[in-house]
Amino acid sequence: MRIVTWNVNSVKQRLPRLLPWLDERRPDVVCLQETKLTDDAFTELFGDELSTRGYEVATYGEVSWNGVAILSKVGLEDVVRGIPGGPGFPDPEARAVSATCGGVRVTGVYVPNGRSPGSDHYNYKLAWLKALKDMVAPDAARAVVCGDINIAPTDDDVFDPEAYEGHTHVTAPERDALADLQSIGLHDVVRDRWPDERRLFTYWDYRAGMFHQDLGMRIDLVLAGEEIAPRVAAAWVDRKARKGKGPSDHAPVIVDLDEAPDGDIGPVVPPASAPAPLRGAKRLPQGSPAD
């Protein structure tokens, strides 16, 4: 089974790239984030394009913001939209959708950004992650939680820790909240497979040539439970999908269970050609980091 997570940053804008990509990579389960469409608009946009490719679809969207979806060729059962009883800002947002796909309890998430450390939105982010943990915990062993987590787990997951000082995504409370989520038995399968890889990014800001310089961060994660993690045959970032005309600012993360159709080809395909920058030599564009 091939499971993918991808923050498409507007599925309407990404449609000309998404459909050919589905045909090329042939994933069995796809978790999309930042669809930025209502459920009805999502259905109207795609028409029969997904069903003719064999996908069932579960969406949880809203107008212009947020939005998540699961596409599955291996079943789509017990769909839950959102986090029951979870926090809102102030109302619940379209940031999580769950379903059982091929015996795996898949939860696709778009974690709140946090905006600035100590802000109300930052506290909402921490509370949201706690609610996510509580929802997933009863069935954690067969769970896959994947999506735009909006947290770089360690300093190795950003191009330069100094560049991110004072920003969200890297603060101790956020990383503690992520560790608390993982404490129910969820494994960061990409990092587990590539423990020593320093340039393993999934997001690059559109501005200031960040992608071409490979000045990124790893905030799109696949977290797998105790029954699922041992099944991982390959785990990699499809950097090719970030190239070319009209890309998302995120790349898909691909995890193959049981067998790897493309071989164990990670961690980043194709690898970046730009040299690693000297520490302290590069700064973030104003307004970074990611959403």
Side-chain angles (χ1 to χ4, degrees):
M1 184 189 305
R2 170 164 286 182
I3 300 175
V4 172
T5 181
W6 192 2
N7 181 326
V8 291
N9 191 9
S10 175
V11 73
K12 185 175 183 178
Q13 296 296 321
R14 232 53 65 199
L15 187 63
R17 297 180 62 110
L18 176 59
L19 293 175
W21 182 88
L22 291 173
D23 295 336
E24 177 186 8
R25 296 303 188 193
R26 300 182 181 276
D28 298 292
V29 179
V30 184
C31 292
L32 301 177
Q33 303 90 48
E34 278 202 275
T35 57
K36 299 183 179 180
L37 288 176
T38 65
D39 296 343
D40 289 344
F42 188 102
T43 300
E44 182 178 356
L45 175 69
F46 280 97
D48 295 330
E49 293 286 1
L50 295 176
S51 61
T52 57
R53 289 170 168 82
Y55 289 107
E56 297 178 78
V57 181
T59 59
Y60 182 32
E62 57 187 270
V63 177
S64 301
W65 303 103
N66 306 321
V68 286
I70 298 176
L71 321 180
S72 176
K73 291 183 176 180
V74 292
L76 194 70
E77 302 172 352
D78 303 321
V79 174
V80 175
R81 292 170 174 83
I83 300 176
F89 194 77
D91 300 316
E93 298 179 308
R95 291 185 175 273
V97 62
S98 305
T100 300
C101 308
V104 179
R105 189 61 183 170
V106 176
T107 300
V109 300
Y110 176 42
V111 175
N113 174 281
R115 298 182 185 173
S116 61
S119 68
D120 289 344
H121 202 265
Y122 181 88
N123 293 329
Y124 162 54
K125 179 179 189 175
L126 301 181
W128 196 94
L129 286 163
K130 176 61 167 61
L132 174 65
K133 173 194 171 184
D134 293 343
M135 182 183 75
V136 174
D139 205 10
R142 68 180 186 122
V144 166
V145 178
C146 61
D148 182 354
I149 304 294
N150 263 324
I151 300 170
T154 72
D155 283 352
D156 287 344
D157 297 303
V158 298
F159 76 87
D160 184 350
E162 290 182 11
Y164 290 88
E165 289 181 3
H167 292 279
T168 56
H169 296 64
V170 299
T171 65
E174 291 169 286
R175 287 174 169 172
D176 289 346
L178 175 58
D180 188 47
L181 172 61
Q182 291 185 247
S183 73
I184 62 177
L186 300 180
H187 298 260
D188 180 352
V189 296
V190 173
R191 179 52 75 192
D192 286 354
R193 197 157 193 85
W194 308 102
D196 301 319
E197 181 65 40
R198 295 296 300 272
R199 302 179 73 186
L200 182 51
F201 307 136
T202 64
Y203 164 85
W204 302 260
D205 196 294
Y206 284 127
R207 298 166 295 176
M210 299 289 277
F211 177 69
H212 303 290
Q213 299 175 77
D214 198 33
L215 305 178
M217 59 196 311
R218 189 174 74 94
I219 56 176
D220 303 87
L221 309 181
V222 178
L223 308 177
E226 299 287 355
E227 294 179 8
I228 308 302
R231 297 172 55 189
V232 173
W236 47 289
V237 178
D238 188 1
R239 191 174 179 274
K240 178 183 175 183
R242 177 62 174 81
K243 291 187 170 187
K245 182 179 179 181
S248 172
D249 44 2
H250 297 250
V253 180
I254 298 176
V255 172
D256 290 316
L257 302 183
D258 304 324
E259 60 181 26
D262 296 303
D264 194 7
I265 61 173
V268 180
V269 180
S273 58
L278 296 174
R279 188 161 177 166
K282 301 289 184 178
R283 296 187 178 185
L284 298 178
Q286 188 174 2
S288 289
D291 201 352

